[in-house]
Amino acid sequence: MTILDGKKISNDIKAEIKAEVDEMKANGEKVPHLAAIIVGNDGASMTYVNTKVKACEKVGFESTLVRMSSTTSEVELMDKIEKLNKEDSIDGFIVQLPLPPQIDTQKVLLAVDPDKDVDGFHPTNFGKMSLDMTSFIPATPFGILELLERYNIPTKGKHTVVIGRSHIVGRPMSILMGRSGFPGNSTVTLTHEYTKNITQITSQADIVIIAVGIPDFLKAEMIKDDAVVIDVGITRVPDESTKKGYVLKGDVDFENASKKASYITPVPGGVGPMTIAMLLKNTLLAREQRRERK
Ligand code: NAP
């Protein structure tokens, strides 16, 4: 069994990005600039967004954090997005989700200029991805592709079962694994809450990619011997014995499933760090595309 070390691979990717940024600087070129908007002060969202900003600094990007209060109206947020769309120095930006209830998330995501949509959530990018066109691929699925590629895990002709159909992970993942090329060319089954006899399906899978947010959902008896298991889930489970008061749990019963799997991602240290690295990669791509258009 091999543990897919997302921490190591993400550090490799960040080092590659930093080398490109250093070269840009040496040539007197503008470096990539990522902006992030956060509305409200939800603890987990603040942690995620601060991690993204810090990661930008480490690779030499410029970064801007836009903090807006939890009472921000939809109009105020749309105004801010419009400003970032027009701001020439910004190559890409993200709107940290979830948003407060007074704001329509779909409307907000539609307002982001697709050329600056480094999260890959705009329908234009999602459509292009589905049509095998160049686009921004959502960071988490992009990170999973990168892990499969760097560990050279065969996907052609394999049966990939994706559990969870969220717009940011499961749904795009199912499309990407079925595209032609590597990683891809899989036969894909997309499962969700209404899927019947899920064990019957997962036990036939060569590759299982799970994003449901239910700790220990995927048990060892649900996978076949030598399956590849990718765990996207991150749930904060209260644990008074820790300094933070919680531990992070994945969607896989790692202890038992790892005895059966050929490759498996840990939580933390698997898919999570890859997501940040791929957001940086998308921002670098955004900068390069903007440079080419000028
Ligand atoms: P989500 O929006 O939380 O939705 C959960 C999905 O799981 C839904 O599609 C739901 O099906 C499905 N589901 C729920 N119960 C199920 C069951 N019994 N059998 C099969 N499917 C079931 O999904 P998400 O945003 O992708 O998040 C999932 C997890 O991944 C969370 O823990 C989240 O924190 C984590 N995550 C991690 C990263 C990272 O960087 N590592 C990034 C994003 C998300 P229905 O559609 O039928 O309701």
Side-chain angles (χ1 to χ4, degrees):
M1 185 272 299
T2 302
I3 291 186
L4 298 171
D5 190 346
K7 206 166 174 192
K8 185 203 168 288
I9 301 290
S10 69
N11 282 335
D12 292 349
I13 294 167
K14 284 189 233 169
E16 290 160 18
I17 294 173
K18 188 173 182 308
E20 287 197 46
V21 175
D22 287 346
E23 205 179 312
M24 285 174 164
K25 279 184 187 161
N27 294 337
E29 287 175 38
K30 179 190 174 317
V31 300
H33 187 165
L34 175 75
I37 304 179
I38 180 155
V39 185
N41 39 28
D42 172 72
S45 295
M46 288 295 289
T47 307
Y48 289 141
V49 95
N50 283 327
T51 311
K52 290 169 187 174
V53 169
K54 271 196 200 132
C56 281
E57 287 162 8
K58 277 200 175 149
V59 296
F61 287 5
E62 284 182 48
S63 64
T64 300
L65 178 58
V66 181
R67 295 181 68 165
M68 302 181 82
S69 87
S70 57
T71 55
T72 300
S73 69
E74 196 174 278
V75 172
E76 285 167 327
L77 179 57
M78 293 297 237
D79 273 356
K80 188 45 100 183
I81 290 173
E82 210 31 56
K83 281 199 182 100
L84 293 182
N85 281 342
K86 288 192 182 131
E87 176 57 59
D88 198 41
S89 70
I90 306 273
D91 296 300
F93 67 97
I94 58 166
V95 182
Q96 185 66 40
L97 302 180
L99 292 167
Q102 72 273 19
I103 297 173
D104 180 341
T105 302
Q106 291 292 356
K107 221 167 148 182
V108 165
L109 296 180
L110 271 169
V112 176
D113 177 350
D115 289 338
K116 292 191 175 186
D117 170 41
V118 285
D119 258 340
F121 294 164
H122 192 284
T124 295
N125 281 314
F126 205 94
K128 284 182 170 175
M129 176 190 73
S130 310
L131 296 169
D132 294 343
M133 294 165 75
T134 304
S135 69
F136 294 116
I137 294 172
T140 303
F142 196 9
I144 294 169
L145 292 185
E146 198 76 17
L147 268 182
L148 294 170
E149 191 177 338
R150 294 200 185 214
Y151 277 89
N152 212 8
I153 297 172
T155 57
K156 185 165 72 178
K158 302 292 181 188
H159 182 197
T160 294
V161 171
V162 180
I163 313 177
R165 57 176 165 182
S166 71
H167 294 169
I168 61 170
V169 186
R171 186 79 55 83
M173 205 62 241
S174 68
I175 293 166
L176 291 161
M177 291 302 285
R179 295 203 312 188
S180 63
F182 174 68
N185 283 331
S186 262
T187 304
V188 181
T189 304
L190 179 60
T191 67
H192 44 76
E193 221 174 327
Y194 302 101
T195 300
K196 288 184 182 146
N197 304 323
I198 197 157
T199 299
Q200 209 174 28
I201 299 167
T202 54
S203 57
Q204 290 172 32
D206 301 302
I207 302 170
V208 182
I209 302 171
I210 179 163
V212 295
I214 304 172
D216 293 341
F217 180 94
L218 192 77
K219 312 272 184 225
E221 43 292 10
M222 293 170 75
I223 60 168
K224 70 176 186 184
D225 284 335
D226 294 330
V228 176
V229 178
I230 309 285
D231 187 354
V232 183
I234 309 176
T235 305
R236 287 184 176 193
V237 177
D239 185 337
E240 293 309 323
S241 69
T242 63
K243 210 169 139 194
K244 288 182 175 164
Y246 64 85
V247 286
L248 295 179
K249 293 283 285 176
D251 289 344
V252 177
D253 172 5
F254 182 87
E255 195 188 333
N256 295 304
S258 58
K259 291 176 187 145
K260 235 173 149 182
S262 56
Y263 294 90
I264 190 165
T265 57
V267 176
V271 174
M274 292 300 294
T275 298
I276 305 272
M278 301 323 278
L279 174 66
L280 298 176
K281 184 125 187 170
N282 274 342
T283 307
L284 179 64
L285 291 172
R287 169 86 292 267
E288 287 168 352
Q289 284 166 10
R290 280 162 62 75
R291 185 178 56 194
E292 277 160 29
R293 274 198 297 271
K294 282 194 173 163

